[in-house]
Amino acid sequence: MTILSPDQQIRAFRWVVLVLALAAGATLYPLWAPIVLAIWTVVMIRPILLRVARAIGRDKAAAIVVVGLVMAIFLPVLGALASLSMGAITLARDLAKSDSAKNAFISVVSGGEPSAAEGAGQLQALSSPSKIMALVQEHGMSAAQVLGGAAGALAEATLGLFIYFYAVYVLLVEGPSYYDWLERHAPIEPTHTKRLAGAFEETGRGLIVGVGLTGLSQGVVATITYFALGVPRAFVLGLVT
């Protein structure tokens, strides 16, 4: 029976850790985007965490930073959705008040350009339960497929956001210890590990700053253009842009 030396045991242990890490990576591969984005986010907001942690502790500081991140992401989105919803309600009311708007709406959904009498007849037809059931039977499968796809996308987005925020909190609290453990047990030299980590951080910082500033500049230019052209709800449209 061959007995491994201490150096060989350490080397074998490192390779076992590498194999387990690769297996974990394969398991988490479908969720790689929110996890990688969480790591880059932690790299960006680490200075803020350190300042707050000196006063109230690392755990509370991480919680406050995550709550602020959630508000920074969701409040503008909720505001835009609320404004767009009010705009949709206003549009629906305008359509209901205007006969010409009703005919235009019927033209859009039917593919034709009906007269006033035809439009009134189609609207009356929609009030018949048998006509409604016929429409449901004709288009129900397509509607169900669309709703199923939307529900799947919503569930995937919700799971991704949960993993992102949870990973941000965990990395803010335990990130330094995780990196120290990885540096000690990685099957490469610590200097190479530091260089890879530095390159990873610089890549994330460049992507986030580059994409963020590009989106911000495009949104500002679009908002100014909307205001100049007199487009309604220019600020909301600029935010969406």
Side-chain angles (χ1 to χ4, degrees):
M1 180 177 180
T2 304
I3 299 177
L4 299 178
S5 64
D7 292 339
Q8 291 176 330
Q9 292 177 0
I10 294 175
R11 192 176 298 110
F13 175 73
R14 288 178 176 177
W15 281 108
V16 170
V17 169
L18 177 61
V19 172
L20 293 177
L22 293 175
T27 304
L28 298 175
Y29 177 76
L31 307 174
W32 70 269
I35 294 176
V36 172
L37 186 59
I39 296 174
W40 284 340
T41 303
V42 170
V43 172
M44 295 288 294
I45 63 179
R46 184 187 299 160
I48 300 175
L49 174 72
L50 295 178
R51 294 191 186 96
V52 179
R54 295 190 188 100
I56 60 176
R58 194 176 188 90
D59 293 349
K60 294 181 180 179
I64 292 175
V65 170
V66 172
V67 170
L69 187 63
V70 171
M71 295 178 64
I73 292 176
F74 280 104
L75 287 182
V77 174
L78 292 177
L81 289 178
S83 181
L84 291 175
S85 299
M86 293 301 296
I89 293 173
T90 303
L91 176 61
R93 289 175 179 173
D94 293 340
L95 287 174
K97 293 178 181 178
S98 174
D99 291 335
S100 61
K102 291 178 183 178
N103 294 334
F105 179 74
I106 293 172
S107 175
V108 170
V109 298
S110 63
E113 191 170 345
S115 62
E118 291 174 343
Q122 291 184 16
L123 287 176
Q124 291 177 358
L126 291 178
S127 63
S128 172
S130 60
K131 295 292 185 180
I132 295 176
M133 289 302 298
L135 286 174
V136 171
Q137 293 175 357
E138 182 178 357
H139 302 287
M141 184 61 67
S142 299
Q145 292 177 352
V146 172
L147 291 176
L154 179 61
E156 184 177 354
T158 302
L159 178 61
L161 285 173
F162 173 78
I163 293 175
Y164 168 73
F165 289 118
Y166 181 76
V168 168
Y169 176 78
V170 171
L171 292 173
L172 286 174
V173 176
E174 303 292 344
S177 60
Y178 289 164
Y179 176 77
D180 292 340
W181 184 90
L182 177 64
E183 188 177 284
R184 290 195 307 268
H185 298 90
I188 59 177
E189 295 296 329
T191 54
H192 298 319
T193 304
K194 292 179 180 178
R195 291 179 61 186
L196 288 175
F200 181 79
E201 291 182 2
E202 288 299 323
T203 301
R205 185 179 289 107
L207 286 174
I208 292 177
V209 173
V211 173
L213 291 179
T214 301
L216 180 62
S217 61
Q218 291 176 346
V220 169
V221 171
T223 303
I224 295 173
T225 305
Y226 295 147
F227 274 115
L229 296 177
V231 177
R233 295 178 179 82
F235 178 76
V236 176
L237 293 177
L239 178 63
V240 173
T241 302

